[in-house]
Amino acid sequence: MNYLHHVLTHLRKDLRLEWRSRDAINGMLFFSLLVVVIFSMAFDPTAAASRQIAGGILWVALLFASITALNQGWAREVRNHVLDAQRLTPAPASALFLGKALANLIFVSAVELVLAPLFVIFYNLHALGEGWMMFLVLPLGTWALVCNGTFFAALGLRTRNRELMLPLVLFPISLPALLAMIQATTAILTGESDPELWVKMLFGYNVVFTTVCLLLFDIVLNAE
Amino acid sequence: MPQRTHTISGPDAPAEQSSSTGQILGLLWLAATLVVLVIGFRQAIFIAPTEATMGNMQRIFYYHVPLAILGLIFPYVNFGASVAYLILRRRNPLSALTADALALASAEVTVVYVSLCLATGMLWGRAAWGIWWAWDARLTSLLLLWLLYVAYLLTRRLSLSGETSTVGAVISVFAAIDVPIVYMSIQWWRTQHPAPVLTGEGSLDHSMYVAFGWNVLGWAMWGIFLIAFRFALERRRQLQQQELALSVLEASLEPIQPRFTQEPPNAL
């Protein structure tokens, strides 16, 4: 109960900060919109082809967009030595991580809520498979990106070139998750195969990496 | 002053001795490795029978498969050393540094072996399949393994000097957990590679096992030699850094020193 209280406090703080500045969401939204437009021009797809590639483009756009927000999330903590204060608090370090990861999940989900209808319009999509499964794939996939992303962005604070380091590590580690998200989304859109295996895999990936992140975050926060 | 130089050179003498025995052992190991590699080369190129359908092209198998096997074993050394580092980090920082040197050495050799495995695989693929690369399960998962360890090395390079080991160890744990997930997910994705000849439905003629065995042994010895060599180099760099830090610390104490040495004559 006490742990939950700490997590909620961190979450509330991050949401309030974002509500006042709206840096992360605005940046992500416009960035992913640009990616959608650029891909649409690059491939100029027909309706059938767009069903095949839309899943990939959606997730690549979200991946790139979330990178921009994830770095900002920790940069806020570094200003005015807030992170040093966080290290001094008796609250568990993983609560800080969980609060920030949940906040990032909310930001990226908000972007998805705007982006998904735009996708349907720009690519003339209608799902041939079970469309409701997207409500399972989207949060699971977003959490896979955001959980590891928040962790590695914190790790990036320990490097000279923060902006470069995050994608360098996040992309290879999340490739299996990315594969699962894209395969599941394509399966839903084309209706040619069953997305169940990929949803299960995504779930397993999330359980494993959330556990590892929570266990190792203390080391990252107090590394020296 | 002469006293201090004495205490520094004191423990150096046995260290020098052990490093010279280490050098002799290393040279002996290198000589044995070269002998085994020569035997392996002769077995693979001249003695092993020519394969029925692929002909001489199949002989690259004696290099490709040992490199693949070893490229999959060395990451475990890296993972073990990284976990040891994370455990020892607070309790025993000096032996933690040793573990970190081992982690770095094994990661570098992993990248070298996996790169060579990918390169020999491409040469074979060009001749056998007519294409350099196919996005098949084994190729893709090995490529991802390569990407993970290159990312590991790059991050170490980019990290702040005091935090390299911790950052590296954390990423190594992530990579080690990721590898089996990558392997399974890509298995589900697709497969085109020849069936595993040692454990799967494929089969290897008995006479080919001799050449294969010599090459596995030779490349394992070569890999161990490279890791040990790189480990010794990294240890030397660490010790040099420690000595430098110590001398800086001593220099900062210097102004206080003369006052103590001057006072006794005044009192007398």
Side-chain angles (χ1 to χ4, degrees):
Chain A
M1 206 57 219
N2 203 11
Y3 187 83
L4 194 69
H5 179 73
H6 287 308
V7 173
L8 285 177
T9 311
H10 284 301
L11 177 61
R12 216 175 296 137
K13 171 208 69 183
D14 273 318
L15 289 180
R16 193 177 299 138
L17 275 169
E18 179 60 30
W19 180 251
R20 287 180 186 163
S21 68
R22 293 191 199 85
D23 285 344
I25 290 190
N26 282 345
M28 272 197 288
L29 199 59
F30 194 61
F31 185 90
S32 45
L33 190 65
L34 285 175
V35 173
V36 170
V37 172
I38 287 171
F39 272 123
S40 186
M41 285 175 166
F43 294 119
D44 196 13
T46 59
S50 65
R51 217 168 267 135
Q52 293 281 349
I53 62 169
I57 293 171
L58 173 72
W59 285 110
V60 169
L62 284 172
L63 178 67
F64 288 167
S66 56
I67 292 277
T68 62
L70 289 166
N71 271 324
Q72 278 176 19
W74 288 109
R76 274 176 191 157
E77 303 281 341
V78 176
R79 237 173 279 147
N80 301 326
H81 298 281
V82 180
L83 200 62
D84 292 331
Q86 301 276 22
R87 283 159 135 190
L88 292 174
T89 57
S94 58
L96 169 64
F97 167 77
L98 207 57
K100 198 160 276 296
L102 286 172
N104 281 329
L105 177 71
I106 293 173
F107 303 156
V108 179
S109 302
V111 171
E112 279 164 10
L113 283 180
V114 181
L115 202 62
L118 276 176
F119 238 78
V120 174
I121 295 168
F122 279 168
Y123 287 87
N124 294 317
L125 291 176
H126 68 102
L128 297 180
E130 294 166 90
W132 62 268
M133 288 280 274
M134 278 311 283
F135 290 103
L136 216 59
V137 176
L138 275 174
L140 280 175
T142 312
W143 179 252
L145 291 182
V146 156
C147 175
N148 278 347
T150 310
F151 187 88
F152 289 122
L155 201 67
L157 295 176
R158 312 264 159 232
T159 58
R160 279 185 308 232
N161 198 339
R162 208 164 50 218
E163 274 71 31
L164 178 65
M165 184 268 177
L166 178 61
L168 273 186
V169 183
L170 182 63
F171 288 0
I173 298 270
S174 27
L175 267 169
L178 209 62
L179 183 67
M181 298 165 208
I182 293 172
Q183 293 298 320
T185 310
T186 310
I188 291 167
L189 288 178
T190 57
E192 280 165 9
S193 56
D194 189 14
E196 198 191 323
L197 173 71
W198 296 109
V199 173
K200 274 184 191 157
M201 193 207 131
L202 212 49
F203 185 75
Y205 180 95
N206 282 344
V207 169
V208 169
F209 278 97
T210 309
T211 316
V212 180
C213 286
L214 288 176
L215 287 177
L216 290 182
F217 188 72
D218 188 41
I219 291 173
V220 172
L221 187 68
N222 295 311
E224 72 236 15
Chain B
M1 281 299 144
Q3 218 178 355
R4 193 186 296 161
T5 51
H6 177 73
T7 51
I8 284 179
S9 72
D12 251 20
E16 249 169 50
Q17 229 168 32
S18 72
S19 81
S20 72
T21 51
Q23 272 172 6
I24 291 168
L25 269 178
L27 282 175
L28 284 176
W29 182 270
L30 178 63
T33 306
L34 288 178
V35 169
V36 173
L37 282 177
V38 168
I39 296 173
F41 180 77
R42 184 168 162 269
Q43 289 279 353
I45 304 295
F46 299 110
I47 296 184
T50 308
E51 209 266 344
T53 51
M54 282 184 272
N56 277 330
M57 199 178 72
Q58 176 264 345
R59 291 184 197 277
I60 204 167
F61 160 90
Y62 299 115
Y63 297 96
H64 176 70
V65 179
L67 287 170
I69 292 172
L70 294 162
L72 292 175
I73 290 175
F74 292 146
Y76 286 103
V77 179
N78 172 266
F79 175 61
S82 298
V83 170
Y85 173 81
L86 287 179
I87 293 169
L88 292 171
R89 187 171 65 106
R90 293 258 185 258
R91 252 177 271 163
N92 191 346
L94 285 180
S95 32
L97 274 181
T98 316
D100 183 54
L102 183 61
L104 176 63
S106 52
E108 284 181 355
V109 177
T110 300
V111 171
V112 171
Y113 268 51
V114 175
S115 310
L116 283 174
C117 176
L118 288 172
T120 50
M122 279 183 200
L123 287 176
W124 182 85
R126 175 70 187 148
W129 296 335
I131 42 173
W132 293 103
W133 185 263
W135 289 100
D136 124 279
R138 271 150 194 272
L139 274 73
T140 313
S141 38
L142 202 66
L143 179 69
L144 286 190
L145 178 76
W146 186 83
L147 286 175
L148 280 172
Y149 281 91
V150 171
Y152 168 85
L153 292 177
L154 265 175
T155 320
R156 283 189 73 112
R157 186 58 68 81
L158 286 174
S159 60
L160 300 172
S161 57
E163 291 151 3
T164 308
S165 324
T166 313
V167 170
V170 168
I171 292 179
S172 164
V173 171
F174 269 85
I177 293 167
D178 209 34
V179 167
I181 299 178
V182 163
Y183 184 76
M184 277 189 331
S185 67
I186 293 180
Q187 282 289 325
W188 290 326
W189 192 33
R190 54 187 53 171
T191 190
Q192 192 181 7
H193 191 279
V197 287
L198 299 179
T199 54
E201 316 96 73
S203 72
L204 195 64
D205 189 78
H206 185 72
S207 57
M208 290 174 173
Y209 269 117
V210 183
F212 179 70
W214 278 107
N215 274 301
V216 170
L217 182 66
W219 291 110
M221 287 170 79
W222 178 242
I224 291 167
F225 174 75
L226 282 183
I227 290 178
F229 193 77
R230 186 66 186 85
F231 172 76
L233 254 169
E234 179 65 15
R235 280 301 291 162
R236 189 176 288 185
R237 194 195 59 78
Q238 285 177 352
L239 290 175
Q240 223 168 30
Q241 211 173 30
Q242 276 170 21
E243 235 159 75
L244 197 72
L246 200 68
S247 68
V248 167
L249 209 69
E250 277 181 354
S252 70
L253 294 174
E254 212 80 319
I256 307 164
Q257 216 82 33
R259 223 183 294 155
F260 281 118
T261 50
Q262 269 169 10
E263 256 167 350
N266 285 357
L268 283 167

